Amino acid sequence: MSRSFNAFVRNGAVAVLTASALSGLSVHAEPLSRPFSDRSTPAITAQMQPKGMAMTQGSFRKAEAPVSGGFSIHEKDGKTVLTLSGDFKTNDMAPDLKVIFSPSATPLAATKAPGFPLKPGSYTVLAKLQSSKGAQSYVIPASIDLKAQKSVLIWCQKFNATMAWAPLKP
C-alpha cells in the first residue's frame, strides 16, 4: 500500500471511491469514531444524487378523462423542469388544458365527480398544456415552492374540470 493511503486509513477516514468523477457524484468521507447510526444519510443521499436524475416522478390517475403516462421533475441546466412522458395522453377534446400544482396530496377528495372542479386558490397554474399527448417539458419557476406542492394535475380551466392527477413523491 502507498504511504498516503496508509496515512489516510490511520486517520480513521472511510472513503468510497467510485466513478464519481465520471458520474457527477460527490464523495463523502466520515471518521470511523462516530457510530454509523449517528450519521446523516439523507444529506449523503442528496449529495450523491447524479445531476439530471428525477427529484420525483409518478403516473397520472384518471379523474374526468382516461389518462395514460406519467411525469418526472428534475434539474436541467440549472432549472427545475417537469417533463411529461412520451406515452402521456389525456382527452384531446377538452379545451383550455393547464398543468397545475396542488398543495394537497389528495386534491380530488374535496371535489365531486364527474368534473372534479377545483376551488379558486386551491391550486397554482404552471402552464398551458402543450399537447394532449406525448412528451413535453415545462420549466418550473422559482416562484412555485415545490416543497409546498403535493400533486400535479391536468385541468380544464374553461369548465373547471380535472382530467387527471398524480401525487408528488420524492
Side-chain angles (χ1 to χ4, degrees):
M1 283 192 236
S2 73
R3 191 176 321 169
S4 62
F5 180 76
N6 285 333
F8 186 71
V9 172
R10 209 174 23 251
N11 289 330
V14 175
V16 178
L17 300 176
T18 62
S20 65
L22 299 174
S23 67
L25 295 177
S26 299
V27 176
H28 184 78
E30 289 192 30
L32 289 174
S33 60
R34 256 181 55 214
F36 186 74
S37 61
D38 290 349
R39 296 178 186 171
S40 172
T41 55
I44 293 170
T45 303
Q47 290 174 353
M48 293 178 67
Q49 183 176 357
K51 295 189 182 353
M53 180 180 234
M55 296 164 41
T56 187
Q57 57 189 12
S59 295
F60 283 103
R61 300 172 184 185
K62 178 185 175 186
E64 180 173 302
V67 65
S68 63
F71 74 95
S72 67
I73 297 177
H74 54 279
E75 294 289 326
K76 183 177 180 182
D77 299 327
K79 296 178 181 176
T80 305
V81 178
L82 178 133
T83 299
L84 302 185
S85 62
D87 64 342
F88 171 78
K89 184 170 179 11
T90 191
N91 184 345
D92 59 356
M93 298 301 289
D96 201 24
L97 292 178
K98 308 278 192 228
V99 180
I100 65 172
F101 288 108
S102 171
S104 172
T106 55
L108 304 186
T111 66
K112 296 192 189 270
F116 300 102
L118 301 177
K119 292 180 182 172
S122 68
Y123 55 87
T124 302
V125 175
L126 172 62
K128 178 178 167 67
L129 187 70
Q130 296 167 8
S131 175
S132 64
K133 60 184 175 182
Q136 47 205 292
S137 294
Y138 305 86
V139 173
I140 302 170
S143 61
I144 295 179
D145 179 8
L146 277 179
K147 291 177 185 163
Q149 307 306 317
K150 303 289 189 241
S151 58
V152 61
L153 300 88
I154 307 300
W155 177 67
C156 171
Q157 184 172 14
K158 183 174 183 175
F159 295 111
N160 191 9
T162 305
M163 302 291 111
W165 74 283
L168 295 176
K169 295 181 234 177

